[in-house]
Amino acid sequence: MNDAPTRPKGRRRGRLRLLVGSVLSVVLVVVAMAMPGSASADTTVNSNSTGTNNGFYYSFWSQSSGQASMTMGAAGQYSTTFNNVDNFVAGKGWANGGRKAVNYSGTFNTSGNAYLSLYGWTANPLVEYYIVDNWGSYRPTGTFKGTVTSDGGTYDIYETQRVNQPSVEGTKTFNQYWSVRQSKRTGGTITTGNHFDAWAKYGMNLGSFNYYMILATEGYQSSGSSNITVSDSGTTTGGTTTTGGTTNGGTTTTGGTTNGGTTTTGGTTTGGTGAGCTATYTPNTWNNGFTADVTVKATGNITSWKVGWTFAGDQKVTGSWNANVTQSGQSVTATNVGYNGTLAAGGSTSFGVQGTYSGTNATPALTCTAT
C-alpha cells in the first residue's frame, strides 16, 4: 500500500501553504446582523486570506472555478458555502498547533468529495496532518499503520507522501499523517495529543508547531456547506488505546517499565517552585520511545519562564512543541516561545517533548524559574 493514493487522481493539496509569505488580495464583506439593538457584525471572506477574527485564527483558500465563501461570527463560529468548486479549504482555529482538547459542534453537508477535519502543519520535520471526522464521497486512505481509539471513536492511521508539492515552506517533499474516524460524526472533542502519541508510536514523528491548526471544511470538485463552532478546552494528555497495523498494541498499564507491546503511562512529577512558576512532567512511554507533557503554572504574574531537568538514563529528545528545547548530555532546558511566555498569576501553559531511550525511562525532577 505504499503507493496508495490519498485522494482521487489530479487532486492537489497544497492550497493553504501558498498563503504563507504571499501578498494576497482580500475581499472582506461586512454583513451587519439584523438583530434589534445589536451592533455586532459578521465578516464574509470570499478570496484567499488568513488572519484573526474574534480571537481565533482563520484561513480561507479557494482555487480556480466555482464559488466559495466563509462567514465568520462570534468567537470560533464560522459557516461556509461552496458550489462546484475546484478546490476549497476554510476554517477557524489557532495560529500555532499543539496538544489541545478541541471542542466543536455544528453541521456539515456535501453532495460530493469533501472533508471536515482538524488540520495543521509542523516544522523540522515538515509534516501536514489531518484528524478527519467526516467526509463525503471519498474517504482518505494511504499506507495503513494502525488505529487509535480516542474521544469515543476509533480512527484508522495512514501515512502518505507528497513529492515536490506546495507547502507552508514553499515547494517541498513532505509526509502527511492521517487519523480518519471509522464512523462519521459532526461535533464532539478531538484530543490532539492522543493522535500525536499514536502517530509517534508508529514512527510518524511530528516537528515543532510553528504553523496553524484549524477545524477545516474542505471541498474538491463538489458543492456543500457547513456551520461550525470551535473552541479550546485546554491542553490534555492520555486516554488513548492504540492498535498496530499487524499486531495488537497490548496492555495499557500505569507505572512500571515497558516491554513487549505494553504502553506505559508514567507518574507525574511536579517540579520545585522557582521564581514565579512550577512545572509538572507527565510522560507516556512505549518500547524505546516516549512523549512527555510539561505544564508550567505561574505563581505570580510572569513574562517568561524556563524549565530544566536532568534525565537519569540515556533519554534523547528528538522533537518538541510549544517551547524552545535544548539538550546537553542528560540535561534538558526548555524556554517559552513568543506566544506563551506571559502568564497571569494562576495561569498555565503547556509544552511537550518526544524522545527515545533504552533501559528505563524514569520521570525526572523539574525546576522552573520565571521573570
Side-chain angles (χ1 to χ4, degrees):
M1 297 181 65
N2 290 333
D3 297 323
T6 64
R7 61 200 64 81
K9 183 177 179 181
R11 179 162 191 171
R12 294 180 60 86
R13 264 208 200 276
R15 334 76 27 188
L16 296 177
R17 9 290 198 232
L18 297 178
L19 297 173
V20 178
S22 300
V23 178
L24 301 171
S25 62
V26 180
V27 178
L28 299 178
V29 180
V30 180
V31 182
M33 295 176 65
M35 297 176 62
S38 173
S40 61
D42 290 349
T43 300
T44 297
V45 181
N46 52 25
S47 64
N48 295 348
S49 64
T50 62
T52 301
N53 175 267
N54 292 328
F56 282 77
Y57 180 90
Y58 78 87
S59 179
F60 178 95
W61 183 91
S62 184
Q63 182 184 50
S64 301
S65 62
Q67 296 178 334
S69 66
M70 174 172 67
T71 299
M72 296 177 285
Q77 189 274 333
Y78 76 91
S79 61
T80 69
T81 59
F82 50 104
N83 184 30
N84 294 323
V85 293
D86 182 32
N87 204 179
F88 149 81
V89 179
K92 271 187 169 183
W94 300 269
N96 298 92
R99 303 172 78 87
K100 294 179 180 290
V102 176
N103 297 321
Y104 79 100
S105 60
T107 59
F108 171 75
N109 302 287
T110 180
S111 60
N113 186 5
Y115 298 159
L116 183 68
S117 65
L118 192 65
Y119 169 78
W121 290 84
T122 68
N124 299 317
L126 178 65
V127 173
E128 183 182 30
Y129 63 89
Y130 298 81
I131 302 171
V132 182
D133 266 13
N134 207 338
W135 58 94
S137 59
Y138 175 77
R139 184 179 186 270
T141 187
T143 301
F144 180 68
K145 296 291 187 175
T147 64
V148 57
T149 300
S150 180
D151 303 305
T154 299
Y155 293 75
D156 294 328
I157 297 173
Y158 301 103
E159 184 176 13
T160 56
Q161 187 180 67
R162 299 286 283 162
V163 178
N164 295 327
Q165 295 296 321
S167 78
V168 291
E169 297 180 358
T171 300
K172 287 191 174 182
T173 296
F174 53 89
N175 288 338
Q176 297 172 313
Y177 300 164
W178 302 78
S179 287
V180 183
R181 209 170 191 270
Q182 292 181 352
S183 59
K184 299 178 181 180
R185 69 170 181 175
T186 304
T189 300
I190 298 175
T191 305
T192 62
N194 293 346
H195 297 271
F196 299 163
D197 291 343
W199 295 344
K201 181 177 179 181
Y202 301 119
M204 299 162 61
N205 297 319
L206 293 169
S208 299
F209 289 98
N210 294 350
Y211 305 119
Y212 58 80
M213 180 173 73
I214 60 174
L215 203 296
T217 300
E218 175 176 358
Y220 175 72
Q221 296 181 358
S222 62
S223 300
S225 65
S226 66
N227 190 330
I228 300 296
T229 299
V230 62
S231 63
D232 173 10
S233 62
T235 302
T236 63
T237 62
T240 65
T241 301
T242 57
T243 306
T246 55
T247 60
N248 288 330
T251 305
T252 301
T253 62
T254 302
T257 59
T258 303
N259 57 52
T262 302
T263 301
T264 303
T265 303
T268 299
T269 297
T270 301
T273 303
C277 64
T278 61
T280 302
Y281 183 103
T282 304
N284 182 45
T285 300
W286 60 91
N287 288 347
N288 300 319
F290 70 94
T291 59
D293 292 290
V294 182
T295 299
V296 178
K297 184 174 182 179
T299 58
N301 295 331
I302 64 174
T303 58
S304 66
W305 48 261
K306 180 172 72 174
V307 176
W309 67 86
T310 301
F311 286 125
D314 64 352
Q315 295 96 326
K316 301 294 183 185
V317 174
T318 58
S320 63
W321 51 92
N322 296 339
N324 298 311
V325 178
T326 59
Q327 182 173 4
S328 178
Q330 294 174 301
S331 298
V332 178
T333 301
T335 59
N336 63 274
V337 290
Y339 54 84
N340 63 1
T342 300
L343 297 172
S348 65
T349 189
S350 295
F351 69 91
V353 296
Q354 180 174 311
T356 61
Y357 76 100
S358 62
T360 60
N361 183 33
T363 300
L366 275 65
T367 62
C368 186
T369 57
T371 58

